[in-house]
Amino acid sequence: MLNPVTTVPRSQPAWGRAVLQPAIEFASTVLPVLEGEIPDRLQGVLYRNGPARLERGGQRMGHWFDGDGAVLRVQIQPGRAIATYRYVHTAGYDAETTSDRLLYANYGSTPPGPWWERFGKPIKNVANTSVLVMGDRLLALWEGGAPHALDLETLETLGEAPPEGVSPQPYSAHPKRDAASGEVYNFGIEFGRQARLHLFRHGANGRAIATAAHDLPGIPLIHDFALVGRYLVVLVPPVRLQPLPVLLQFKSLSDGLTWQPHEGTQILVFDRDTLALVSRAEAEPWFQWHFGNGAEEADGTLRLTLVRYADFQTNQYLQEVASGTTQTQAKGTYVQLRLNPHTGHVVASETLVDVGCEFPTVANACMGQPWRYSHLALHRPGGLERGDLFGVIARYDHHAQTYATLDCGDHRYPTEPLLVSDRGNSDVEQGWLLTVVYDGDRHQSEVWIVASDRLADGPICRLQLPQVVPPSFHGTWHTS
């Protein structure tokens, strides 16, 4: 059972309309500049993916994770930006569009109808979590199944397409790309009587050059992992699936997951080249969705950061987001761990940001390497208690152990801040933070460009999108 939750009665918050109303696609559109100007050296394409439809035929989906994915593309050139927004046309999305009703199970939903009709129905791949540019395709990622390939320019769905050398199977939405080698690392979880962790190492051309499989304890929930110098680190939180009620379609996957703190957090360290297990250890129980980054220290320890939750109430909070209002207060804090790679043991733990936060990112060039700045989305003061989504973006300075913030204002909700390095600056951690902001008062979405070293100055440019883009999960920046 989950720990008792804290509930506070409240009316629907300002972000609710962005979640409750299905998003409307739009074709290639030049974006009006609302404020400031686009920096001349900021040139490339922003892609973002997230759940855009949580309703069909008057039926609502049971969890924020269940929404049909849609991808936003924003091409930024000197003096102008052009945006496109399209749903990912998965087989399930097309079938439900034709029937105008929900047909499938998903993470937080069981199929409609009596249980004897639900038995054996597949889970819909919603392709709604993140994106990865691999070769000449954009992959829309969802950890429960294979990626879907999209055209890089038009966002046309080309079909389900696992990376070259990988069989159709679950492929995590959190791949890591080494900037120096171009290699991409990822994982997937195979579910059976016991779960198996599949690890993937891809060359710069996208083809898999190494794969490995390792047994896991029970059937856990693993959402992300860390690239840490010469290692990959997987933390297995003490969340386990009770499979029988889910297989019989009595419960959704989400409802079948239980918090089991006696299991502790399992720490698995792998060699990034061979994908062989180096060490395994156990730590106290916690839960995490996302890692910030990782690096090897001069003393040989592994340093990694993550947003840590005391328990699994965060899943209940995310379920409530789908209803347009939240009552559960699940606070994540930004934490730094140091591990001994040869034993897997935690040798030090430190809370860096003790404010409710999520979606940590770093400069692409620093992935798996030493870094100074982390970027996060934070709750405004009292925002978690009021049932608000994140309202602040922040840059944490690991050297000074301080952080700068940009409060986006009342009823304005930013997404994960992505750093785009300034090619005219020798410091790859300097540049611009890009985020998509929903303005609940005006019921409109905007792209904000913020100087990464001057957050307090506010956005240096605001671009208006032609339709509301619901809060999304993850994105990437691409330069050809």
Side-chain angles (χ1 to χ4, degrees):
M1 295 291 292
L2 296 179
N3 292 342
V5 299
T6 304
T7 60
V8 181
R10 59 175 62 86
S11 58
Q12 186 185 97
W15 55 264
R17 276 203 296 171
V19 171
L20 293 174
Q21 297 180 4
I24 299 173
E25 297 178 316
F26 52 84
S28 181
T29 304
V30 176
L31 303 184
V33 176
L34 299 174
E35 177 185 357
E37 59 184 20
I38 299 171
D40 289 339
R41 293 197 299 270
L42 180 60
Q43 299 180 41
V45 181
L46 170 69
Y47 295 100
R48 290 203 59 85
N49 192 1
R53 172 181 280 274
L54 286 153
E55 178 272 339
R56 177 77 71 178
Q59 299 170 297
R60 292 209 61 80
M61 300 175 192
H63 198 288
W64 198 17
F65 291 176
D66 296 351
D68 291 304
V71 174
L72 172 69
R73 179 185 190 270
V74 182
Q75 182 173 7
I76 299 179
Q77 306 165 336
R80 72 171 187 167
I82 303 170
T84 307
Y85 188 54
R86 296 186 69 175
Y87 281 97
V88 183
H89 281 253
T90 67
Y93 175 85
D94 287 343
E96 291 183 340
T97 299
T98 299
S99 65
D100 194 29
R101 63 190 182 95
L102 298 181
L103 301 173
Y104 302 97
N106 214 282
Y107 176 78
S109 306
T110 54
W115 75 267
W116 56 87
E117 292 181 4
R118 302 197 303 257
F119 183 73
K121 281 194 174 181
I123 291 177
K124 179 175 63 172
N125 183 332
V126 288
N128 71 359
T129 311
S130 191
V131 281
L132 171 67
V133 176
M134 192 168 274
D136 61 354
R137 303 178 302 174
L138 180 71
L139 300 184
L141 304 175
W142 176 71
E143 66 198 46
H148 281 73
L150 309 181
D151 184 279
L152 279 171
E153 294 189 8
T154 67
L155 301 183
E156 177 189 358
T157 302
L158 306 176
E160 205 170 273
E164 188 178 0
V166 175
S167 61
Q169 62 180 294
Y171 189 81
S172 155
H174 287 284
K176 307 291 188 254
R177 190 190 300 272
D178 181 275
S181 67
E183 291 186 344
V184 174
Y185 299 84
N186 206 356
F187 74 96
I189 305 295
E190 176 190 359
F191 295 101
R193 296 186 67 179
Q194 184 176 14
R196 300 203 84 197
L197 172 71
H198 292 266
L199 297 175
F200 310 105
R201 176 188 172 200
H202 304 275
N205 60 2
R207 180 172 179 80
I209 55 178
T211 62
H214 303 271
D215 290 335
L216 291 170
I219 305 178
L221 175 63
I222 304 173
H223 184 72
D224 195 1
F225 75 112
L227 171 62
V228 190
R230 294 173 295 166
Y231 302 94
L232 307 178
V233 175
V234 176
L235 302 184
V236 185
V239 173
R240 300 291 184 268
L241 180 70
Q242 297 176 318
L244 186 58
V246 176
L247 289 172
L248 294 175
Q249 299 285 13
F250 290 144
K251 287 185 176 182
S252 68
L253 278 166
S254 176
D255 290 339
L257 292 168
T258 61
W259 176 247
Q260 300 182 15
H262 62 276
E263 296 282 357
T265 298
Q266 307 298 312
I267 299 172
L268 308 177
V269 180
F270 300 93
D271 182 284
R272 68 176 256 176
D273 291 330
T274 66
L275 307 182
L277 181 66
V278 175
S279 62
R280 182 193 301 261
E282 183 177 317
E284 70 271 20
W286 72 76
F287 183 79
Q288 80 283 323
W289 293 111
H290 300 121
F291 291 87
N293 196 25
E296 289 185 76
E297 297 290 272
D299 62 2
T301 59
L302 307 184
R303 168 190 169 214
L304 62 155
T305 55
L306 59 135
V307 174
R308 173 172 165 163
Y309 297 86
D311 51 35
F312 198 46
Q313 290 190 42
T314 172
N315 189 58
Q316 176 65 26
Y317 169 82
L318 295 169
Q319 176 178 313
E320 293 167 4
V321 169
S323 72
T325 186
T326 63
Q327 295 182 323
T328 301
Q329 297 179 25
K331 177 184 174 181
T333 57
Y334 199 43
V335 170
Q336 179 171 276
L337 302 179
R338 292 184 187 271
L339 307 179
N340 181 327
H342 306 296
T343 66
H345 290 126
V346 176
V347 296
S349 176
E350 178 185 8
T351 298
L352 305 178
V353 179
D354 194 16
V355 175
C357 60
E358 254 299 352
F359 301 121
T361 64
V362 298
N364 288 339
C366 296
M367 183 61 64
Q369 301 299 320
W371 79 104
R372 177 171 179 174
Y373 298 107
S374 296
H375 313 96
L376 304 123
L378 273 61
H379 283 291
R380 303 180 74 209
L384 184 61
E385 293 76 15
R386 291 191 302 270
D388 263 342
L389 299 184
F390 299 109
V392 175
I393 60 173
R395 180 172 88 155
Y396 182 83
D397 185 336
H398 291 265
H399 292 180
Q401 296 184 315
T402 59
Y403 58 95
T405 61
L406 167 57
D407 187 325
C408 296
D410 288 344
H411 304 156
R412 286 175 169 174
Y413 307 98
T415 56
E416 164 196 67
L418 293 177
L419 178 74
V420 179
S421 297
D422 181 356
R423 292 183 173 183
N425 194 316
S426 60
D427 185 350
V428 297
E429 294 192 86
Q430 300 299 326
W432 302 277
L433 291 174
L434 302 186
T435 184
V436 176
V437 177
Y438 172 66
D439 187 325
D441 290 336
R442 295 174 178 82
H443 192 50
Q444 71 180 30
S445 294
E446 303 171 4
V447 178
W448 284 21
I449 303 170
V450 181
S452 66
D453 60 346
R454 300 192 306 277
L455 268 68
D457 293 348
I460 59 175
C461 185
R462 292 169 49 222
L463 303 163
Q464 182 173 333
L465 292 164
Q467 298 286 349
V468 168
V469 173
S472 57
F473 292 142
H474 302 289
T476 191
W477 175 259
H478 177 62
T479 54
S480 56

